[in-house]
Amino acid sequence: MKSEKSNSFRIIDYLLILMMVLPIVVLITIKLLTNVPSDGINVSGARIYFEIPLPIQNLLITESQINSWMVMISITGLCLYLTHGIDVKARNKRQHLAEWIVEKTDNLVKGNMGEYFIAFSPFIGAILGLSAFSSLICLFGLYSPTSDINVVGGWAILTFILITYYKSKCGPWVYIKSFGDPVALLAPLNIISEVATPISMAFRHYGNVLSGSVISVLLAAGLQGLSSMVLGWLPGVLGDIPFLQIGIPAVLSIYFDVFSGCLQAFIFAMLTMLYVSGAFPMEEYFKRKKNKQTKAMSN
Amino acid sequence: MKIAIAIILGCCALGAGTAMIAGIGPGIGEGNAVAKACEAIGRQPECKSEVTSTMLMGCAIAETTGLYALVIAILLIFVAPEMFIELLINYK
């Protein structure tokens, strides 16, 4: 099997792996170069790298933007690597992995949204992957873009646009009428709940990731203080090394970074699916379609 | 001036602490949800995966109110004091 692989095939493989790894390396280098050493508890937002002057407001290029773009490039490299040299008959492990991912996403979308929305599967997969990898990037010590509300807010607005599009698919009149659903008196409440959907989605994701990072910073600072109190009697340099910081934050990091990040990605994708499929008045839409068809036939 | 800034800082910390009382609600709610999910799995172990994913969904949604409180608390601790102190300095 190995003899079938030509030399150029392998070179492209290595290039794709490089495309996966290089953005992370670049980010770590940028972080190391621009890092400002600070002592004590330091919880800050995304660092602003530079500004682009624009007429209304300056466009800020922040850490979270650069990080999320790098994550996107990295995921693109991963996808290209997994699907490179794909064949009708699955021969290598990565094709099995790619097929497994696609099948799982398809099943997830089919199970939660129905057959009609199967075209949503790439979108849901993209949201899942981007969100999960953006949260997991903090394992490299980088600023995770999902702990910035602007990034997650953008995704939530995207979901909101989709919801509105599918709600108004039967025409604008049906969309407006859906607000006074049980009684017309409840219209203000319905409008508030409509606006609250993207806000709550953004806050849920961002709050979970941010609370995890804040707790890790507090824990690291606390352990430093504790170890200098307990082990401070050790002579010389030994007393300054925070021994208690070794290992203990990693245990919490499994929950706050790995589990919570993946769970929030799953929940964000899940909620997107549920809201979009719930917003679409399917029976009404097909009834109208049928009526239109019969009208066209009779004419 | 110093007293005013001290009052602002203290009140922000108090407000953040008070806001996090909202953590009680999601705690009780999620506890209930997980307890019921455990019961359901005990009764029907074959649908464990479905119950688990539904439970995680429900937990995430029940957590929302707690997270609102958390966001408010974080804003009160890290953002609000600087803003209020700046306001106070500019006021004079």
Side-chain angles (χ1 to χ4, degrees):
Chain A
M1 199 175 94
K2 269 185 183 172
S3 58
E4 288 175 29
K5 282 184 186 171
S6 63
N7 218 5
S8 64
F9 186 88
R10 256 183 229 159
I11 288 173
I12 292 174
D13 256 11
Y14 288 133
L15 279 178
L16 290 175
I17 292 175
L18 203 67
M19 189 177 165
M20 273 191 303
V21 180
L22 203 63
I24 310 292
V25 177
V26 167
L27 282 182
I28 292 174
T29 345
I30 293 176
K31 178 101 180 174
L32 286 178
L33 285 179
T34 62
N35 198 18
V36 186
S38 62
D39 46 324
I41 302 168
N42 178 30
V43 178
S44 57
R47 198 178 294 130
I48 296 165
Y49 284 134
F50 54 90
E51 299 182 15
I52 297 171
L54 281 180
I56 300 168
Q57 195 186 10
N58 283 0
L59 182 65
L60 304 176
I61 302 297
T62 59
E63 214 176 353
S64 55
Q65 255 160 323
I66 297 204
N67 282 16
S68 54
W69 272 99
M70 288 299 181
V71 169
M72 278 186 234
I73 293 171
S74 191
I75 292 177
T76 313
L78 179 69
C79 291
L80 288 177
Y81 174 72
L82 285 178
T83 54
H84 184 222
I86 209 160
D87 209 343
V88 181
K89 218 176 176 184
R91 284 190 298 186
N92 42 16
K93 275 177 196 163
R94 54 188 177 188
Q95 186 171 349
H96 284 297
L97 187 61
E99 281 177 3
W100 181 78
I101 292 170
V102 170
E103 255 172 40
K104 281 281 163 192
T105 322
D106 275 353
N107 284 341
L108 193 71
V109 171
K110 251 186 232 169
N112 289 302
M113 296 173 93
E115 286 280 342
Y116 182 80
F117 287 98
I118 193 66
F120 261 83
S121 157
F123 175 67
I124 299 296
I127 278 192
L128 263 173
L130 184 57
S131 171
F133 279 94
S134 304
S135 300
L136 288 178
I137 202 177
C138 64
L139 292 178
F140 292 103
L142 299 164
Y143 181 84
S144 70
T146 39
S147 60
D148 188 338
I149 193 159
N150 300 313
V151 175
V152 193
W155 302 349
I157 287 170
L158 192 62
T159 307
F160 179 70
I161 291 170
L162 278 173
I163 293 170
T164 313
Y165 172 73
Y166 273 98
K167 261 197 172 175
S168 58
K169 217 166 179 197
C170 293
W173 177 236
V174 176
Y175 176 65
I176 294 166
K177 222 164 62 175
S178 74
F179 283 115
D181 194 11
V183 202
L185 208 68
L186 289 176
L189 286 178
N190 278 332
I191 290 169
I192 288 172
S193 78
E194 188 77 11
V195 177
T197 306
I199 295 174
S200 87
M201 276 176 88
F203 273 8
R204 183 178 298 122
H205 196 155
Y206 137 89
N208 265 301
V209 178
L210 182 69
S211 72
S213 62
V214 168
I215 287 171
S216 340
V217 169
L218 289 181
L219 183 85
L223 282 175
Q224 195 175 17
L226 194 69
S227 70
S228 75
M229 203 172 75
V230 176
L231 301 167
W233 50 270
L234 287 170
V237 193
L238 277 176
D240 295 336
I241 301 172
F243 279 108
L244 286 177
Q245 269 189 358
I246 302 168
I248 299 174
V251 179
L252 276 170
S253 167
I254 290 174
Y255 176 78
F256 283 119
D257 294 339
V258 181
F259 178 72
S260 183
C262 293
L263 184 69
Q264 288 313 311
F266 177 69
I267 283 162
F268 195 89
M270 214 45 184
L271 284 179
T272 306
M273 288 192 281
L274 292 182
Y275 282 136
V276 171
S277 64
F280 183 49
M282 199 178 286
E283 289 176 16
E284 176 93 10
Y285 180 71
F286 282 118
K287 219 165 76 187
R288 278 165 180 253
K289 215 175 174 184
K290 222 178 181 182
N291 284 349
K292 258 185 195 171
Q293 272 176 356
T294 45
K295 260 185 193 172
M297 290 278 271
S298 60
N299 284 345
Chain B
M1 193 67 178
K2 265 185 189 172
I3 295 173
I5 289 174
I7 287 174
I8 285 175
L9 289 178
C11 285
C12 282
L14 266 179
T18 321
M20 283 316 289
I21 291 175
I24 295 172
I28 294 172
E30 280 178 39
N32 271 335
V34 177
K36 292 285 177 192
C38 285
E39 275 179 24
I41 291 173
R43 232 178 282 130
Q44 281 179 304
E46 65 271 11
C47 58
K48 187 185 173 191
S49 62
E50 273 182 38
V51 170
T52 310
S53 68
T54 316
M55 182 199 77
L56 286 177
M57 262 315 283
C59 280
I61 292 176
E63 225 174 33
T64 312
T65 47
L67 284 169
Y68 288 160
L70 177 82
V71 170
I72 289 169
I74 285 174
L75 286 179
L76 273 175
I77 291 175
F78 294 114
V79 182
E82 290 169 19
M83 210 176 74
F84 287 145
I85 288 169
E86 223 168 74
L87 268 179
L88 186 75
I89 291 166
N90 291 339
Y91 183 69
K92 288 219 164 179

